[in-house]
Amino acid sequence: MQPSVPSPAPSSEPSPEPSAAAPAASSPVAAPAAVAPRFDERLTAPRSWWVIAGLLGLSGGLVMFPLGTVATLGGLIVVAVLAGAAVSSYGSARVRVVAGSLVAGDARIPVSALGAAEVLDEEEARAWRTYKADPRAFMLMRSYVPRAVRVEITDPADPTPYAYLSSREPEALVAALESVRAEA
């Protein structure tokens, strides 16, 4: 049995009108306000990868063709589903700035632990993926996204020097990080 919470006594004073910008807190359907992300990007795989997954499914069916119609359909379906799951999984990585944190894939880094963020053009991004790369860095890179953001990690307890994040909109990501840092 849950304890009952006393309801507030009715007041004779008129309650202030809710503004258009703020949701009504007294609404019976109002849920706890979720923090909207400042930046949200899914690094989806290109369409050509989906075509390749379909062709892999077709080849799975062709391999099973000598064994009959049921085996052909089974091979087509199983290989197509496995290839599609692999493409979907790889393309489901997200980069977000939400609730005072940078969330990149499985990593969640508070903005207070971040230093300067740098937009990398295609050549600089390639350099930071190859010969300039530090093995200790956190890298969420996708080869089909040519641009990126490099964010220094300033937390002294963290040995990671920077985070390299592929992004189709690196300027918006840097702006979101700077706006959250300015508010803190």
Side-chain angles (χ1 to χ4, degrees), residues 12-156:
S12 61
E13 297 178 40
S15 63
E17 302 246 348
S19 68
S26 63
S27 171
V29 293
V35 178
R38 300 279 177 118
F39 179 83
D40 190 0
E41 178 180 16
R42 185 176 301 269
L43 302 175
T44 56
R47 289 186 185 115
S48 61
W49 287 31
W50 290 100
V51 171
I52 293 169
L55 291 174
L56 283 171
L58 183 62
S59 68
L62 289 173
V63 166
M64 301 302 285
F65 183 73
L67 301 176
T69 306
V70 174
T72 300
L73 289 174
L76 177 109
I77 291 169
V78 168
V79 174
V81 166
L82 290 175
V87 170
S88 176
S89 174
Y90 190 73
S92 67
R94 292 177 77 176
V95 178
R96 301 184 314 162
V97 177
V98 61
S101 296
L102 170 65
V103 181
D106 294 333
R108 183 178 196 96
I109 309 165
V111 173
S112 60
L114 298 176
E118 174 186 4
V119 174
L120 303 174
D121 64 7
E122 291 181 30
E123 291 207 16
E124 275 296 304
R126 187 176 304 112
W128 281 102
R129 281 192 310 260
T130 57
Y131 64 91
K132 285 186 177 180
D134 188 326
R136 300 172 300 154
F138 173 77
M139 300 184 110
L140 179 64
M141 59 182 171
R142 297 295 183 258
S143 61
Y144 49 82
V145 180
R147 298 176 64 204
V149 173
R150 185 178 154 278
V151 184
E152 291 179 15
I153 298 178
T154 58
D155 185 4

